[in-house]
Amino acid sequence: MKTLVKCLTRLFSATVLAVLIPVFVWSAETAPSDTIEKLHSTLIEVMQNADALGFEGRRDKLAPVITQSFDLTTICRIILGRQWDSLSPDEHAQMIDTFTRLTIATYAARFDGFSGESFRTVEQNPMNRGRVMVRTELVRPRDEPVHLDYVLHNGEGGWRIVNVVAEGVSDLSLKRADYGAVIKRDGFATLVQRLESQIRDLQKGA
Amino acid sequence: MKRGTARGSLILSLFACVILSACATAPADKGVETPDPLEPMNRAFFAFNDTLDKAILGPVSRGYVNVTPEPARDAIRNFFDNLGYLETIVNHFLQGKIEDGFEDAGRVVINSTFGLGGLIDFAGGLGFPARKEDYGQTLAVWGVGPGVYLELPFFGPSTLRDGATLPASTLSNPFFYADAEVSIPAAAVDLIDTRARLESAIKLRDETALDRYIFQRDAWLQRRRNLIFDGSPPPEDLDFLAPPPQ
């Protein structure tokens, strides 16, 4: 009996390991640039079919890729800075939910057409604390390229984006200053209300 | 004479303001919040500039875009960029970027001749992209700090360092030496075209910002830093923003 239990336990552990090891190795082997390239290829696809998809179609297509490529929890925590600690778990969840929908709606509204653009990954530089910067360009046939630098960290769910720097302007710092001013002056509830109204405007404007 | 004294004391009191407020900035906040000791004054000028833009400059520039075909607007932009390029060349040399200075001097020669007096960016097509240098960037490269953030009436975002270089910029523009009949309409067209090219940035600001003053201030300061480091600034330190990943 003892041997049978031992045998079964071994079999069970082996099965668990057999399932887990490939998952672990796979996520460990995913490079930061893979995350970016997946995001970029989805964006190009969405741009090419922008009219056929419409705002809702673009939003639905982008949602899974954006939630996978961006570490939106960390992003929200950084944006709210010291204020984050004074909020309740429910407020944290509310912030993450609103901000996730805003991010998706922003991408769905901005990438609303295609005129021959393409993305190019330029280089990948290590940063402190194991973070990585992937430098890319949005190449436009009739204009100068737009420089987009992504900062990623390797956490839960593999390499995920924590910041986008467009032409030297850091989205994280900018939102931190902007949202911080509102929360300090008008409070958390107003911040969420205003973000919700931005989501509605993006939807209406598209 | 009396006016001169008044102006002198105004400048003195401005400097006093700046120095006092610079001392009052708590070093503990460094890097977390953008220091902006003149925020109340800056916000007042921001509101002034915004009103002016909504009432006059914005509508005029949109009208200009509607009536002027894109190739003509491109030619106009190229023409002004070519004339204003002297400032970029001078500042390449002042920053010790001798090769860039000669390359950009060549750019002006090529565009002024083959590019029909600067209307066509011929050198750009040959693989010499336009660059942007100015006296403020040179001072930064020389180690002069930005000083306080300033929102200047009519000019918009600036810093004490960059604002102080405005006269030198003006003197570097050949139009300054032309007759008023030429220079004033030219400056007006340049202004309208510049505003037209900012349309998408202004639209982005108005759609994205919760506090438009703060959004514009921080975006401008970061963009400026990017220019000073020629597109490769040292990455910002995220560690003050977030605890290290576990």
Side-chain angles (χ1 to χ4, degrees):
Chain A
M1 186 65 196
K2 230 177 186 178
T3 350
L4 185 67
V5 171
K6 220 181 220 172
C7 220
L8 279 176
T9 325
R10 271 203 197 138
L11 189 69
F12 177 72
S13 332
T15 320
V16 167
L17 277 179
V19 172
L20 279 186
I21 285 175
V23 170
F24 178 73
V25 170
W26 176 78
S27 71
E29 275 180 358
T30 319
S33 55
D34 293 345
T35 304
I36 302 305
E37 271 150 27
K38 181 155 185 243
L39 172 69
H40 282 171
S41 65
T42 313
L43 285 174
I44 291 286
E45 206 186 313
V46 159
M47 287 158 83
Q48 283 170 336
N49 304 305
D51 290 336
L53 289 167
F55 177 82
E56 269 87 27
R58 298 198 295 273
R59 188 188 59 195
D60 296 346
K61 211 164 177 69
L62 285 166
V65 182
I66 286 175
T67 45
Q68 175 54 41
S69 0
F70 288 83
D71 184 347
L72 291 155
T73 306
T74 302
I75 292 174
C76 285
R77 213 181 59 204
I78 298 177
I79 289 175
L80 295 193
R82 253 175 284 164
Q83 310 278 355
W84 181 262
D85 298 329
S86 60
L87 298 175
S88 71
D90 281 352
E91 287 170 323
H92 288 165
Q94 191 186 9
M95 178 67 199
I96 294 165
D97 171 61
T98 307
F99 189 74
T100 301
R101 284 183 290 110
L102 176 64
T103 306
I104 296 165
T106 305
Y107 274 90
R110 298 244 188 283
F111 291 86
D112 62 346
F114 184 71
S115 35
E117 293 91 345
S118 60
F119 287 99
R120 193 170 81 86
T121 305
V122 181
E123 56 179 1
Q124 187 173 307
N125 300 322
M127 296 173 77
N128 58 359
R129 300 209 187 269
R131 298 189 192 102
V132 164
M133 179 180 274
V134 178
R135 307 195 73 168
T136 72
E137 282 178 353
L138 171 61
V139 184
R140 301 179 294 176
R142 295 181 54 216
D143 274 305
E144 299 278 303
V146 182
H147 299 95
L148 293 169
D149 299 338
Y150 294 88
V151 179
L152 297 96
H153 74 174
N154 196 3
E156 234 176 280
W159 286 98
R160 295 170 97 188
I161 302 163
V162 287
N163 195 13
V164 186
V165 184
E167 291 292 329
V169 181
S170 150
D171 192 47
L172 211 51
S173 297
L174 205 53
K175 289 215 164 74
R176 191 180 157 89
D178 194 21
Y179 293 12
V182 173
I183 211 171
K184 218 156 116 186
R185 206 171 41 221
D186 309 314
F188 176 73
T190 308
L191 174 71
V192 172
Q193 259 172 32
R194 297 201 51 193
L195 297 179
E196 290 288 354
S197 107
Q198 283 193 332
I199 298 172
R200 283 193 298 274
D201 288 346
L202 286 166
Q203 210 160 347
K204 257 188 279 168
Chain B
M1 182 64 202
K2 212 170 186 185
R3 191 179 286 171
T5 324
R7 198 177 297 154
S9 60
L10 180 73
I11 292 172
L12 266 182
S13 50
L14 184 67
F15 268 102
C17 265
V18 166
I19 289 162
L20 282 177
S21 46
C23 296
T25 315
D29 270 356
K30 201 180 160 224
V32 177
E33 263 172 49
T34 307
D36 189 2
L38 302 180
E39 187 173 333
M41 182 187 88
N42 285 337
R43 277 194 189 268
F45 283 136
F46 175 82
F48 171 80
N49 287 339
D50 195 46
T51 310
L52 194 72
D53 188 71
K54 283 214 168 69
I56 303 170
L57 211 46
V60 170
S61 76
R62 283 186 285 275
Y64 159 80
V65 169
N66 285 338
V67 299
T68 322
E70 200 176 337
R73 277 185 281 126
D74 285 347
I76 288 167
R77 187 69 265 149
N78 289 337
F79 177 73
F80 284 112
D81 282 351
N82 192 51
L83 270 179
Y85 219 60
L86 182 64
E87 183 172 358
T88 293
I89 296 168
V90 168
N91 282 288
H92 274 315
F93 286 120
L94 290 176
Q95 291 173 33
K97 292 187 274 192
I98 308 298
E99 207 172 301
D100 290 349
F102 279 116
E103 199 177 289
D104 278 349
R107 219 186 119 74
V108 171
V109 172
I110 290 170
N111 281 349
S112 304
T113 51
F114 298 109
L116 308 178
L119 292 174
I120 303 166
D121 182 14
F122 203 81
L126 295 175
F128 295 99
R131 285 178 282 227
K132 165 103 178 79
E133 296 288 355
D134 53 55
Y135 295 100
Q137 291 185 52
T138 297
L139 286 181
V141 170
W142 288 355
V144 179
V148 289
Y149 176 74
L150 290 175
E151 172 88 24
L152 299 173
F154 302 104
F155 287 95
S158 192
T159 59
L160 188 60
R161 176 193 62 214
D162 296 338
T165 65
L166 274 177
S169 289
T170 312
L171 291 173
S172 299
N173 194 316
F175 266 119
F176 180 75
Y177 304 96
D179 291 336
E181 303 93 84
V182 179
S183 67
I184 292 174
V189 175
D190 189 6
L191 176 69
I192 292 163
D193 184 75
T194 304
R195 169 60 181 80
R197 271 157 220 279
L198 287 172
E199 180 75 14
S200 59
I202 291 173
K203 197 164 163 264
L204 182 82
R205 177 199 70 188
D206 292 348
E207 283 173 4
T208 316
L210 298 177
D211 184 321
R212 294 184 307 138
Y213 167 76
I214 291 205
F215 186 94
Q216 176 166 307
R217 179 193 71 193
D218 279 48
W220 186 86
L221 285 170
Q222 288 192 44
R223 180 91 187 86
R224 193 72 195 141
R225 182 167 171 269
N226 194 51
L227 277 176
I228 289 165
F229 285 100
D230 294 331
S232 298
E236 62 178 341
D237 183 10
L238 290 179
D239 289 330
F240 72 85
L241 299 173
Q246 285 80 32

